Amino acid sequence: MGAEHILAFNLALLAALVSPGPALLIAIRTTLVEGRLAGVATGCGLGLMAAIWTLTALLGLESLFRLVPWAYAAVKTAGALYLLWIAWKTWTGARDPLPEAGSVGRRAFRGGVLANLANPKSVLFSAAVLVVIFPRGLGVAETAVVVVNHFVVEMLFYGGLAVLLGSEAVSRRYLAAKATLDRITAAVLGALGLRLLVER
C-alpha cells in the first residue's frame, strides 16, 4: 500500500461526504441549532462510526451480509426507523425554541454515532471502494492506517463545517427561517428513511 492508495481513498471519501445524505444533514442541522461544539461532537460520532464501518468492511462484514441477508435487512430496517424518528422529531419541533446548552457535546456525539450506525449501506460502500483502491491482503498496520485516516478525514471535514456554519451571521439567518428549514430537513430525512426501508 502506497501514498497514492490513501490519496485515492481520501478523494472518494470526500466525494461521499459532500453528497447529500443523512449524516451531512444531521451535522448541518446540529451545528445550526446547537452551535459549533455540538457540530464538532456530532462530527466525532459520525467519523467514529464511519471508520468502524470501514474496519468491518476490511474484516469482511459485507461478505457476512451477503451470506446472511436477514442480518443486513434487520440492521437496515432499524436504521430506517431511526431516520424516520429523527424526521418526526425535527418536523414536530420545527417551531420550538432552541434547546439549552446542557450536555450538548455528549448528546451530539451519541447522535452522530447512531446516525451512521443507522446506515449499514456504509459498509457496502466502504467495501466497494476498498476493493477498487487498495491491494489485497492488507496487514494489521496497514488496516489501522486506513481506519485512522478515515476517522481523521471525517473529523477535519465535519470540524471545518462546524466552524463555517457556527458563525453568528449564519446562525441568525437560520433562526429567521428555522421552522421552514427544519421541515425541509425533516422531509428529506423522512424520504431517505423510507427509501432505506423499502429498497431491496
Side-chain angles (χ1 to χ4, degrees):
M1 182 179 76
E4 68 277 9
H5 297 110
I6 293 293
L7 177 60
F9 177 68
N10 288 346
L11 291 173
L13 181 54
L14 286 171
L17 285 170
V18 299
S19 3
L24 183 61
L25 286 175
I26 289 166
I28 290 172
R29 184 178 181 276
T30 301
T31 301
L32 292 173
V33 171
E34 301 183 33
R36 285 177 178 161
L37 176 61
V40 171
T42 300
C44 285
L46 289 167
L48 177 63
M49 194 62 232
I52 290 172
W53 278 131
T54 290
L55 176 60
T56 60
L58 286 166
L59 297 177
L61 182 61
E62 86 284 358
S63 299
L64 175 63
F65 278 160
R66 294 182 196 286
L67 287 172
V68 189
W70 64 263
Y72 176 76
V75 176
K76 185 166 73 76
T77 301
L81 293 175
Y82 178 67
L83 289 178
L84 290 171
W85 179 78
I86 293 176
W88 171 254
K89 295 287 284 183
T90 302
W91 183 278
T92 57
R95 294 194 176 276
D96 293 348
L98 297 183
E100 296 294 327
S103 57
V104 157
R106 187 178 303 171
R107 185 175 68 249
F109 174 78
R110 185 171 60 246
V113 170
L114 290 174
N116 261 351
L117 180 62
N119 187 13
K121 290 172 67 177
S122 295
V123 74
L124 301 180
F125 169 79
S126 294
V129 169
L130 292 168
V131 165
V132 170
I133 292 175
F134 291 105
R136 296 176 62 87
L138 294 180
V140 174
E142 291 173 321
T143 298
V145 167
V146 173
V147 173
V148 171
N149 169 81
H150 187 160
F151 177 69
V152 169
V153 170
E154 295 242 354
M155 279 301 308
L156 290 173
F157 175 80
Y158 287 117
L161 188 67
V163 170
L164 180 66
L165 296 179
S167 70
E168 189 176 337
V170 174
S171 296
R172 276 200 310 270
R173 287 179 188 146
Y174 167 74
L175 286 173
K178 179 180 182 297
T180 300
L181 292 175
D182 278 6
R183 284 178 176 158
I184 291 171
T185 300
V188 173
L189 287 173
L192 290 170
L194 287 172
R195 179 181 173 185
L196 189 61
L197 190 63
V198 302
E199 73 178 1
R200 300 182 66 82

